Amino acid sequence: MGFLFPLSLLVLLAAAYSGGGSARRRWAARAQSSGGSSPAPSETSAPFWVRISPKFVAVPPGRSVWLNCSSSCPLLEDSTLHTGLRRGQMLSGPSWVSFQLLDVRAWSSDVHCFITCAGVTREATARINAYKPPHSVILEPPVLEGCEYTLRCHVTHVFPVGFLVITLRRGGRVIYSESLEYFTGLDLANVTLTYALRTRPHDLWQPVTCHARLNLDGLVVGSSSAPMTLTFLAWSPMSKALASTSIAALVGILLVVGAAYLRKYLLMQSRA
Ligand SMILES: *[C@@H]1O[C@H](CO)[C@@H](O)[C@H](O)[C@H]1NC(C)=O
Ligand SMILES: *[C@@H]1O[C@H](CO)[C@@H](O)[C@H](O)[C@H]1NC(C)=O
């Protein structure tokens, strides 16, 4: 029965492992629900919390932001802010410090506030995001040159362009999509996408739309253009043939009707 021992050991190990896992999950959930104060697994000697408010803030690029770092410590010994953003004014009370951060242009920054109370330092973190959904998405009326339509889509006042995806759709189906991840500018920008579209006759009359989408680590914002129809009023060889056929048919019908009237008129004339 010696072979049973390793088996039961394995089962025991598995049980211990899953137990540890759920304990960690419980701990993580507790740390989250305590509203941003740092978990204190070992430093139980100085029970105080540190909180930063707001914990998350989103602004258009170039704005400034105030963050308030407060604590249950009755008298702060020290408080510092770690951030790559430019600092502005600072206000403070016995148990809080309020910081202004200027001209936020980084798409996402973490700001750490450290507070020291009775020789113990605790930390709280806030995240500042800067973005601006497109002000407008405009698709110009398609221009036909040869057998290609030129589609031009203008996306205005958008930030950060590096997270922008512009998609052209025809009749709901994607015909082209471009991600502008190589673009690293720190200002609002206008973006124009130009695309040459080859068409076949059955593509005509299908609405084309342009979609601009910012995908910001899970947060998706954006908007779409008004639909534009590809008409064959612009001349491609194939559509020209199609158009002239329908005009010829129309002339034919008019001639037949004209001949009938003429016959009737001549008949009436001869009777008179
Ligand atoms: C910062 O937060 C503390 C605690 O919530 C509050 O008493 C204080 O007035 C706040 N300061 C500012 C400038 O908002
Ligand atoms: C972006 O487009 C808008 C509207 O067409 C215009 O007013 C603005 O000056 C443009 N901005 C830049 C940076 O080109």
Side-chain angles (χ1 to χ4, degrees), residues 29-108:
R30 246 205 326 273
Q32 250 174 12
S33 66
S34 61
S37 64
S38 341
S42 56
E43 302 155 319
T44 41
S45 55
F48 74 102
W49 49 256
V50 175
R51 202 171 278 158
I52 194 161
S53 168
K55 255 192 92 55
F56 177 82
V57 59
V59 292
R63 290 284 174 83
S64 52
V65 169
W66 279 93
L67 291 179
N68 187 342
C69 190
S70 57
S71 165
S72 61
C73 176
L75 195 61
L76 305 184
E77 277 165 37
D78 190 28
S79 61
T80 51
L81 200 70
H82 283 208
T83 173
L85 299 168
R86 219 169 87 220
R87 292 144 199 264
Q89 298 173 55
M90 193 183 121
L91 299 170
S92 63
S95 63
W96 57 269
V97 215
S98 209
F99 299 89
Q100 186 189 30
L101 298 168
L102 303 171
D103 194 33
V104 178
R105 280 174 197 276
W107 131 246
S108 187

Side-chain angles (χ1 to χ4, degrees), residues 50 52 69 80-82 99 111-115 122-125:
V50 175
I52 194 161
C69 190
T80 51
L81 200 70
H82 283 208
F99 299 89
V111 178
H112 306 274
C113 167
F114 293 89
I115 281 186
R122 297 253 164 90
E123 183 254 359
T125 303

